[in-house]
Amino acid sequence: MCPDLSTRTVYAGEERLKPHHALTMPIFQTSTFTFTDTADMAAFMEAQAQGRETTRLEYGRYGNPTVAAVERKLADLDGGEAALLFSSGMAAVTVTLLTFLAAGSHVILTDDSYRRTRQFVTEFLVRYQVEATIVPIGDDEALEAAIRPDTRLIFSETPTNPRLRVVDVPRLVEIARQHGLLTIIDSTFATPINLRPLALGADLVIHSATKYLGGHNDLLAGVAVGSREMIGRLRQAQALIGAICDPHTAYLLLRGLKTLALRVAHQNRAGLEVARFLEGHPRVRRVYYPGLPGHPDHAVASRQMRGFGGVVSFELDADLETTGRFVDALRIPYIGPSFGGAEGLVEQVALSAYYELSSEERAAIGISDSLVRLAVGLEDVADLIADLEQALERAFTTAPA
Ligand SMILES: *Cc1c(COP(=O)(O)O)cnc(C)c1O
């Protein structure tokens, strides 16, 4: 039996019978796990030494039952053999790259990706003799040209931030496999509800669980999902690096996951409606949303995704100041980074992740002064559209103070 994903968000990965017959998974707020006597400890150590699988736990950095329940649920949702939770999405990204790259190896990243991931590779890993090439997303020729004898893996996001480009995952996997490379997909924007990269051939999926998976803007966590072998290697690295998810955060994540399918279904619907509204508005120059037929990756997205998500980026027909007035006039979404939670969030991209670049430098990488990223929350979509409408009206009619 393979129940629908919405059923699995609620039931998968959890033991049916929990301690004290509790319905919900307890938070095992403990740093360590004890042994009944020295023989018990010796037996455990012997099993470890022989590489035998044991279910009992030893110390909080090596595993926790609350964390393990979430890992089983996320492995199930993404269709992987195993999953590993981390203290943040960036911890998942960095531990993964540190584990599967070594001095003298080369990695390929696609552009329009999470800026911190690119920075980790180009500013941090270079100090350890790891080289990187960043290729334009969707450009197969550039991708193949970038592959070298020392290339180990291709890392790509889909959809990307902020322009919501969508990678053709089967095509990427095909190219990677021809050259014996690993494919790692940061699928944060898609969630397992909209995209399942492992089923399309990717070797590892990463999510910032801070976003849709947690879903309530109240935690930071990350996850990697893949084969038992790859997750085992990450677990060993994590035990040394220490970037673990604590049990309380894991519980919040488990709780958030119960409504993942409902929330994402709402955000898919609302995202599309908002994108269509913006596309039809005379003050909006361009909308970036893969659900719109005019988006360059609409065909790929329609083929491989179940929905297009709740993030809509768009450019106004306006300068930096007028765009700021529009953002300030919104009454429903909060101004701030992140996405995927109950509260809507909006940001003027030029003033957030790319603030230290000049207007010209931003333009060179396609970040215009009037680019806005709107993350739909769980508000009513008609309310949100009315809010966008009044803010557009106010921004263009109010003279600057
Ligand atoms: C937010 C985000 C990250 C980083 O995750 P944190 O939980 O903030 O560390 C990585 N990739 C993408 C696509 C993200 O949106």
Side-chain angles (χ1 to χ4, degrees), residues 88-91 93 114 117 157 186 188-189 208-211 220-221 339:
S88 70
M90 278 316 293
V93 168
Y114 194 67
T117 301
E157 288 169 28
D186 179 337
T188 301
F189 273 73
S208 165
T210 310
K211 317 293 169 51
L220 281 109
F339 57 91

Side-chain angles (χ1 to χ4, degrees), residues 22 32 52 67 114 120 169 171 193 215 249 253 277 339 354:
T32 197
R52 265 187 279 129
V67 173
Y114 194 67
F120 178 70
V169 178
R171 179 78 191 111
I193 305 299
T249 297
L253 179 52
F277 162 76
F339 57 91
Y354 295 88

Side-chain angles (χ1 to χ4, degrees), residues 6 9 29 65 127 130 141 157 196 203 208 225 247 259 261-262 286 301 306 321 324 346 362:
S6 59
T9 58
Q29 195 73 44
R127 303 193 343 236
V130 170
E141 275 175 33
E157 288 169 28
R196 299 177 79 232
D203 296 291
S208 165
V225 189
T259 54
L262 288 174
R286 182 157 179 196
R306 296 217 306 188
E321 288 70 31
V346 65
R362 285 195 299 263

Side-chain angles (χ1 to χ4, degrees), residues 310-347:
V311 178
V312 185
S313 295
F314 52 99
E315 282 164 12
L316 299 185
D317 216 350
D319 58 11
L320 193 75
E321 288 70 31
T322 308
T323 306
R325 277 208 304 280
F326 160 73
V327 171
D328 291 340
L330 288 166
R331 294 186 185 118
I332 290 180
Y334 290 90
I335 299 174
S338 202
F339 57 91
E343 297 85 3
L345 283 163
V346 65
E347 63 177 8

Side-chain angles (χ1 to χ4, degrees), residues 201-224:
D203 296 291
L204 199 76
V205 180
I206 290 175
H207 299 274
S208 165
T210 310
K211 317 293 169 51
Y212 291 102
L213 302 184
H216 292 76
N217 293 321
D218 59 0
L219 64 85
L220 281 109
V223 66

